[in-house]
Amino acid sequence: MSEKIQAVRGMNDILPDQAHWWERFEDTVRDWLHAYGYRNIRMPVLERTDLFVRSIGEVTDIVEKEMYTFTDIGGDSLTLRPEATAGLLRAAISNGMLRGARLKLWTAGPMFRHEKPQKGRYRQFHQIGAEVLGFGGPEVDAELIAMAHALWQNLGLKDIRLELNSLGQPEERAAHRAALIAHLEQHLDVLDEEAKRRLHSNPLRILDTKNPAMQPVVETAPKLIDFLGEASLAHFNAVRSVLDAAGLPYEVNPRLVRGMDYYNLTVFEWVTTRLGSQGTVCGGGRYDGLIEQLGGKPNPAVGWGLGMERLLLLLEEVGQLPGPAQPDAFAVVFPGVPLPTVMVALEALRAQGVSVVLNPAGKEGPASPKSQFKKADASGARFALVFGPDEVARGEVAIKPLRDGGEQQIRPLVDIAHWAVSLLQR
Ligand code: ATP
Ligand code: MG
């Protein structure tokens, strides 16, 4: 036997039992996004490296140490996307979608970051992103936040709290930056190497550190919110008042800065205490300067991304994962029964939206009726459709309830689609 090939570390297979949860989750999320008028967009997972460097920022964890970057055979530097916003804007700009348009878009798919794999933190993970392009008003920020809250409720999740902050505008950040550097310089002894390196290039990033030893310095640092001008404060207060009016609780966290450089004004994270230090299930904010920075006409924008693995872990924690997928019916075919007759009958059922599994073959030749009945039971199907030679010769099939009790009935094969309809109405 040859040696087994290993999967890439931090990249998971999603096996059928789990994939079923993913599908249900995706169904819920898709319906919910459509209810708010969001339209789907799908971008390539590979982009030019430059896109991420310019948008996320050169001095960030993602760009400095987490990107899967390589040179392709043609000599271009490409990167597996670590997040979706940059690519989505690139797509909107390069396809001319932004000309005077206001867009509500959602996207989903795998993202790639070379992080230390652990529960809730992987190297390939999946996000759903919602982005609103062309609206500058605070009510849009609030709607995006309230929307996420509605999703938690749809999913039966209660323990997710909202943290909110405002990063103001670039000029306000510049004033804060000077004060921040002065503060950090007084604590050089506690700063780790990375923080020292970032002290003058991107001190705001130091506030996003996960190093526990630096938390006291971070906690006593000058707060960006104290440097906001009137317009920024008004925006922040307007977001807050919509949330207040909706009775949606939140906590202002002045140290919340997010991991990318492109944010301004509103930033937020939805956090749970149930997943340890991988507690952020959704994060987002406004990025009014990014479209222009990527070569588009200036246009405000706001959005969030949610981590699917973390939400599924949380659903599992609170026992809200759906049960296994079960077909409506399972066909049991006796030896000698012509398979084409069976298959025609099953197609008639499927055309009515009834799910039917046919599994007449074993490893070596036809499976015995006994083993097919076993499989039918194990599948969780409501009914076994028993195709016995005598019934089929008479143009009939036996329908045996497997879960709900009740008598076996005999039905004409030609009538089976009618039976299917009545089955779905029950
Ligand atoms: P964290 O602080 O936990 O590293 P982040 O701020 O880097 O998260 P974002 O870039 O805001 O995360 O991505 C949005 C969401 O994607 C996160 O809130 C999280 O749910 C999820 N996410 C981010 N990185 C990973 C990862 N490596 N594995 C699994 N999910 C992730
Ligand atoms: Mg991160």
Side-chain angles (χ1 to χ4, degrees), residues 53 65 85 129 164 174 219 263 290 343 376:
V53 177
K65 45 189 187 189
T85 303
L164 194 64
E219 271 163 39
Y263 289 110
L290 187 53
M343 290 168 77

Side-chain angles (χ1 to χ4, degrees), residues 59-121:
V59 186
T60 56
D61 280 359
I62 295 179
V63 170
E64 280 186 337
K65 45 189 187 189
E66 295 174 358
M67 293 208 303
Y68 282 89
T69 297
F70 64 96
T71 308
D72 78 357
I73 305 176
D76 290 325
S77 176
L78 304 180
T79 295
L80 279 168
R81 62 179 182 194
E83 58 101 61
T85 303
L88 184 138
L89 293 188
R90 196 269 313 134
I93 297 167
S94 59
N95 292 290
M97 292 171 71
L98 285 166
R99 280 179 222 121
R102 296 174 160 202
L103 304 169
K104 295 191 171 188
L105 301 172
W106 71 274
T107 193
M111 308 295 153
F112 303 85
R113 297 184 193 175
H114 197 276
E115 302 194 66
K116 192 170 155 238
Q118 52 200 292
K119 188 179 173 191
R121 193 177 294 285

Side-chain angles (χ1 to χ4, degrees), residues 312-333:
L312 284 159
L313 280 170
L314 187 58
L315 285 168
E316 187 179 13
E317 272 283 311
V318 299
Q320 290 286 351
L321 284 178
Q326 295 168 325
D328 297 314
F330 199 105
V332 173
V333 184

Side-chain angles (χ1 to χ4, degrees), residues 127-285:
Q127 281 186 353
I128 292 171
E131 318 279 357
V132 183
L133 314 182
F135 296 84
E139 66 285 350
V140 184
D141 314 20
E143 190 196 51
L144 268 166
I145 292 170
M147 226 174 107
H149 183 249
L151 178 64
W152 316 145
Q153 300 206 309
N154 282 357
L155 291 168
L157 295 172
K158 292 191 190 75
D159 298 325
I160 308 183
R161 64 168 208 285
L162 174 63
E163 295 192 2
L164 194 64
N165 193 19
S166 174
L167 299 182
Q169 301 293 11
E171 320 78 71
E172 292 154 357
R173 278 207 295 283
H176 168 254
R177 179 192 158 104
L180 180 59
I181 293 176
H183 168 81
L184 294 168
E185 275 177 336
Q186 285 169 7
H187 300 277
L188 281 178
D189 49 322
V190 242
L191 298 191
D192 58 22
E193 284 313 307
E194 183 179 84
K196 281 184 191 146
R197 205 162 36 72
R198 290 174 171 180
L199 184 56
H200 293 279
S201 54
N202 198 347
L204 198 64
R205 282 280 75 80
I206 299 175
L207 301 184
D208 196 34
T209 180
K210 293 197 165 67
N211 181 349
M214 282 169 47
Q215 292 312 315
V217 186
V218 164
E219 271 163 39
T220 52
K223 297 183 173 75
L224 183 45
I225 211 155
D226 296 330
F227 290 78
L228 299 191
E230 226 170 281
S232 295
L233 276 178
H235 188 102
F236 192 45
N237 290 332
V239 174
R240 294 180 62 169
S241 62
V242 177
L243 299 179
D244 291 336
L248 208 156
Y250 58 87
E251 188 189 312
V252 175
N253 175 358
R255 286 174 299 278
L256 179 68
V257 293
R258 312 268 306 119
M260 297 85 162
D261 283 350
Y262 51 64
Y263 289 110
N264 69 314
L265 295 175
T266 319
V267 288
F268 55 89
E269 287 189 353
W270 290 95
V271 188
T272 170
T273 49
R274 288 173 172 265
L275 298 176
S277 51
Q278 275 60 252
T280 308
V281 292
C282 175

